[in-house]
Amino acid sequence: MIVCPNCNHQNPDGAVQCEACYTPLPATTNCPNCGATVQTDASFCGQCGFNLQATGSVKGEEQTAAPGTVAVAPTQQVSVPDLIEPDPLIEPLPLQMSSPAPVPQNPSIEAAAGETPPAPLPAVGSEQAQPASPAKSAPHPTSQTRLQQQTAKLLHLQTKMDIELPQNLPIVHIGKPNDQIPPDIDVSGFPNSEVVSRIHADIRIEGDAYYIEDVGSSNGTYINHTPLPRGNRHRLRSGDRIALGKGDLVTFLFQIS
């Protein structure tokens, strides 16, 4: 693929001008290291990073030092005495368990010893707490989003007739009846159809994009009064004017709805 320097559009190999903005494309060559396609004025390969302008190899830089260099003697190891752990500043006191404080005897409490004590209240967060109610399931959506499928058609300007492009074909052939490639859009019934070749042009459908390409017609294909070189593709946009042959005698208007 050849990337346009003006709009960054990826064009097929061999194209001489950008199919999106009609900017002339730079000349390309192959990288001598990996074979990737690069521009002739590039300094480095964008695929493997090979230096395209270098005259020598840089591997010599990785060679070892020349003989005669002074070797640095290893440094002598210095023995370090072991560190002595200092004594603690304050001697820790032993931990003593404190005995529970005696409960003072109260005559009134002893008199009521035979009564049944009240039941303790349950603590917050205990097992006796009321269980949370189960979460309610989210309702299912009742309506679904419907994808709108666009349709493309050609308006014949001389007869004001609409021709809808087939949606189940990746390539739509335009021409007149023949024994090699039967046309999907037959223009033999239109006025001045003698300027149209039997195998004239193709419209390729890639996703939501439409491309037109001249496949070797005798009188050429014109987009907005500009000739389309053979082998180049043009991305069609709504409102583009397509003329099959010279003289603007068989003309269509590309529309998307």
Side-chain angles (χ1 to χ4, degrees):
M1 303 296 289
I2 303 176
V3 180
C4 176
N6 184 32
C7 65
N8 294 330
H9 179 76
Q10 294 185 356
N11 299 271
D13 294 337
V16 297
Q17 66 178 6
C18 179
E19 61 187 12
C21 64
Y22 307 106
T23 299
L25 299 177
T28 60
T29 184
N30 293 330
C31 174
N33 185 34
C34 66
T37 302
V38 296
Q39 297 183 8
T40 55
D41 57 349
S43 299
F44 296 92
C45 176
Q47 185 70 21
C48 64
F50 182 76
N51 188 358
L52 302 176
Q53 304 296 333
T55 57
S57 175
V58 296
K59 294 183 179 179
E61 299 178 358
E62 300 179 358
Q63 297 179 354
T64 58
T69 56
V70 179
V72 180
T75 58
Q76 298 180 356
Q77 296 182 355
V78 180
S79 60
V80 179
D82 297 335
L83 298 178
I84 301 176
E85 184 178 358
D87 297 334
L89 299 178
I90 301 176
E91 183 178 359
L93 298 176
L95 182 63
Q96 298 180 357
M97 299 297 293
S98 60
S99 60
V103 179
Q105 298 181 358
N106 193 338
S108 60
I109 297 178
E110 294 178 357
E115 298 181 1
T116 304
L121 296 176
V124 178
S126 62
E127 297 180 357
Q128 298 180 359
Q130 184 177 1
S133 58
K136 296 181 180 181
S137 59
H140 296 283
T142 56
S143 60
Q144 298 180 354
T145 304
R146 297 181 179 178
L147 297 178
Q148 297 181 356
Q149 187 176 8
Q150 64 180 3
T151 58
K153 62 181 179 179
L154 298 176
L155 173 62
H156 186 241
L157 297 181
Q158 282 75 20
T159 61
K160 304 301 181 183
M161 181 182 298
D162 287 336
I163 303 176
E164 186 174 345
L165 297 183
Q167 299 181 2
N168 56 344
L169 297 178
I171 302 176
V172 179
H173 304 291
I174 304 176
K176 293 185 294 187
N178 60 88
D179 298 334
Q180 298 179 0
I181 304 177
D184 300 307
I185 297 180
D186 187 2
V187 300
S188 59
F190 292 108
N192 302 314
S193 62
E194 63 273 5
V195 299
V196 181
S197 300
R198 297 183 183 275
I199 303 176
H200 196 104
D202 289 343
I203 294 180
R204 297 179 179 268
I205 304 173
E206 299 178 2
D208 58 349
Y210 296 83
Y211 297 90
I212 187 171
E213 177 183 359
D214 189 282
V215 293
S217 64
S218 300
N219 296 321
T221 302
Y222 298 82
I223 308 298
N224 300 323
H225 305 287
T226 301
L228 179 63
R230 181 180 179 180
N232 283 14
R233 299 190 307 173
H234 170 78
R235 181 170 181 176
L236 292 172
R237 295 170 177 82
S238 185
D240 281 352
R241 186 185 183 96
I242 305 172
L244 304 179
K246 299 179 180 179
D248 204 19
L249 300 177
V250 181
T251 312
F252 296 92
L253 192 66
F254 181 77
Q255 296 177 343
I256 296 180
S257 58

